[in-house]
Structure formats: structure tokens, C-alpha cells
């Protein structure tokens, strides 16, 4: 498949001293998701070399891809995000906002990394996983499916997060993880907060029901997981 971009003569040197080239789309890219339409002639973001981008992937806005990093498939990197080092972004993955993906990290599938999140080390984010806000994911970590890390998550291995699928009145996915302050935060549907706040919400919403028992058992397991 012919490449979908070319390097322009517009250059800049980033904070690492790397010379980057603005890209221009050479054939229209259509997609069923946002950002869903790139027209031939549109200017994109910045790459160090043509090897940083392949297939129908796109780097837009002021995003940067450099080093040995590769953005492939139909992946999108945009906003002011950076992908660098030996990082790999593939599939329908999206990296945007002020997110950083670097070292040997991989982001693929339908996953999203955004906000000011950082994914690095040997971390893998795939499936439909979400990493956002000020999350820090590093080391040997695998986030998959409906795993979600937000707020001030600090996860460096799989002992520092856990998830539960299809529980509660809406069959939601629930994810718990360690934070930078040493606490435990929980994401469940629209809920974002500490483990204690999650327990309070469960009692307030599901008091006396089987769903209260489900969630409280889940909370017991989270406490057991993290030695609380």
C-alpha cells in the first residue's frame, strides 16, 4: 500500500534536539471514528523520518513522533502528544492531548491514551483500555479490554491494578489501581474516586440489594489484592 503522507520543507527542532518535519497527506484517509477524515493536501503533525509512520496511520495537529517509534495501522496521534523511543502505536489506537508514549511501550487495539498520561517502559495498553488524566503506566504492565486508569494512577506492574467485568445493575466493568499518593482509586461507569468513596456510593445506590453484596465483595477483593 502506498504511503499516505510526505515530508514537507517545514522543520523544527524539539526539546530533545531532534529535527522534525511537518507531514502532508497525499491521499485521503477515511475512518468510522474521530478524528475521522484526513483529506489529501492536509498538513499534519511532526515526524523525524518517514519510518515513523506507515499504513493509514496519521499524526495530526502539533503531535510528534520520533526516534525509532512507529505509528501504524489506522492509529491516530494528535493534539500535542508525543510518541518516541522504541514505542509502538497500532490498530485503531489513539494517543492525544498531552500524552506521552515512549521507551518500549505499546498501545494498540482500540485503546486510548490521553490527557497528560504517560505510558512507558515495557507497558502494553490494548483492547479497549483507557489511560487518561495524570496516569503513569510503566514497567511490565498489561492493560486490556475495559481496563481504565485515570486521576493520579501510578502502575508499574500487574500487582498494582485489578479489574472486574460485568457486575452490578448495569453489568459494568470496574477497575481499581494504586495512586501516586499510595491510595487506591476506582473507576466504575461514571464513578471516579477512592475505594472508601466507592463503598459509600455503593451503599447509597444499592442498599439492601444483591448489587450491594456484589460490589462489597468486590471491595473486599480489592482490599485483599492490595493488602489493605
Amino acid at each position: 500500500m502506498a504511503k499516505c503522507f510526505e515530508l514537507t520543507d517545514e522543520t523544527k527542532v524539539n526539546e530533545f534536539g531532534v529535527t522534525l518535519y511537518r507531514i502532508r497527506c497525499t491521499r485521503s484517509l477515511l475512518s468510522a471514528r474521530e478524528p475521522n477524515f484526513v483529506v489529501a493536501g492536509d498538513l499534519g503533525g511532526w515526524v523525524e523520518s518517514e519510518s515513523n509512520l506507515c499504513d493509514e496511520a496519521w499524526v495530526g495537529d502539533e503531535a510528534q513522533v520520533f526516534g525509532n517509534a512507529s505509528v501504524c495501522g489506522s492509529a491516530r496521534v494528535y493534539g500535542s502528544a508525543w510518541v518516541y523511543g522504541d514505542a509502538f502505536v497500532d490498530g485503531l489506537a489513539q494517543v492525544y492531548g498531552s500524552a506521552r508514549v515512549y521507551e518500549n511501550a505499546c498501545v494498540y487495539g482500540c485503546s486510548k491514551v490521553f490527557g497528560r498520561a504517560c505510558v512507558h517502559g515495557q507497558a502494553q495498553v490494548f483492547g479497549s483500555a483507557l489511560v487518561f488524566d495524570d496516569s503513569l503506566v510503566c514497567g511490565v504492565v498489561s492493560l486490556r479490554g475495559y481496563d481504565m486508569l485515570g486521576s493520579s494512577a501510578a502502575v508499574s506492574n500487574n500487582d498494582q491494578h485489578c479489574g472486574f467485568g460485568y457486575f452490578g445493575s448495569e453489568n459494568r466493568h470496574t477497575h481499581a489501581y494504586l495512586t501516586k499518593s499510595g491510595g487506591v482509586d476506582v473507576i466504575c461507569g461514571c464513578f471516579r474516586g477512592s475505594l472508601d468513596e466507592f463503598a459509600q456510593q455503593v451503599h447509597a445506590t444499592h442498599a439492601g440489594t444483591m448489587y450491594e453484596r456484589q460490589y462489597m465483595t468486590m471491595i473486599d477483593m480489592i482490599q485483599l489484592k492490595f493488602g489493605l
Side-chain angles (χ1 to χ4, degrees):
M1 181 181 295
K3 63 185 181 70
C4 65
F5 73 100
E6 62 185 2
L7 305 182
T8 69
D9 294 331
E10 184 180 356
T11 64
K12 71 174 181 179
V13 178
N14 70 9
E15 296 175 17
F16 288 84
V18 177
T19 299
L20 303 174
Y21 297 84
R22 175 85 73 181
I23 62 172
R24 179 187 294 113
C25 184
T26 55
R27 58 183 174 85
S28 296
L29 302 176
L30 304 178
S31 174
R33 56 172 175 75
E34 292 292 343
N36 61 356
F37 190 66
V38 182
V39 178
D42 282 354
L43 290 175
W46 303 87
V47 301
E48 182 178 1
S49 72
E50 292 187 350
S51 64
N52 294 133
L53 188 60
C54 61
D55 303 327
E56 295 199 340
W58 184 248
V59 179
D61 302 324
E62 294 301 314
Q64 302 181 22
V65 180
F66 55 97
N68 294 318
S70 296
V71 180
C72 303
S74 295
R76 298 289 187 265
V77 179
Y78 56 102
S80 56
W82 288 14
V83 178
Y84 59 101
D86 293 303
F88 182 61
V89 181
D90 195 10
L92 295 172
Q94 297 185 37
V95 180
Y96 57 99
S98 299
R100 300 289 186 264
V101 179
Y102 56 102
E103 293 176 343
N104 293 297
C106 295
V107 179
Y108 53 101
C110 295
S111 53
K112 295 181 181 180
V113 178
F114 57 99
R116 291 177 294 184
C118 290
V119 178
H120 62 103
Q122 304 289 332
Q124 297 191 40
V125 179
F126 56 101
S128 299
L130 300 178
V131 180
F132 56 97
D133 290 346
D134 293 304
S135 300
L136 174 61
V137 181
C138 59
V140 184
V141 181
S142 295
L143 300 176
R144 69 191 75 187
Y146 291 90
D147 289 351
M148 294 178 284
L149 294 182
S151 186
S152 56
V155 175
S156 60
N157 60 66
N158 290 324
D159 290 332
Q160 298 175 337
H161 71 104
C162 61
F164 304 84
Y166 303 105
F167 281 92
S169 58
E170 301 294 332
N171 289 313
R172 298 190 188 283
H173 293 264
T174 303
H175 203 132
Y177 51 87
L178 292 183
T179 66
K180 295 173 185 176
S181 63
V184 176
D185 274 5
V186 177
I187 295 178
C188 181
C190 296
F191 176 84
R192 308 283 190 277
S194 69
L195 188 59
D196 287 341
E197 292 169 336
F198 182 54
Q200 293 170 10
Q201 184 67 46
V202 167
H203 292 314
T205 306
H206 300 293
T209 69
M210 63 176 288
Y211 304 119
E212 181 184 35
R213 296 196 301 275
Q214 288 181 7
Y215 281 123
M216 293 311 297
T217 300
M218 192 183 303
I219 289 170
D220 287 342
M221 292 296 294
I222 292 170
Q223 292 174 326
L224 181 62
K225 167 79 174 181
F226 296 122
L228 301 177

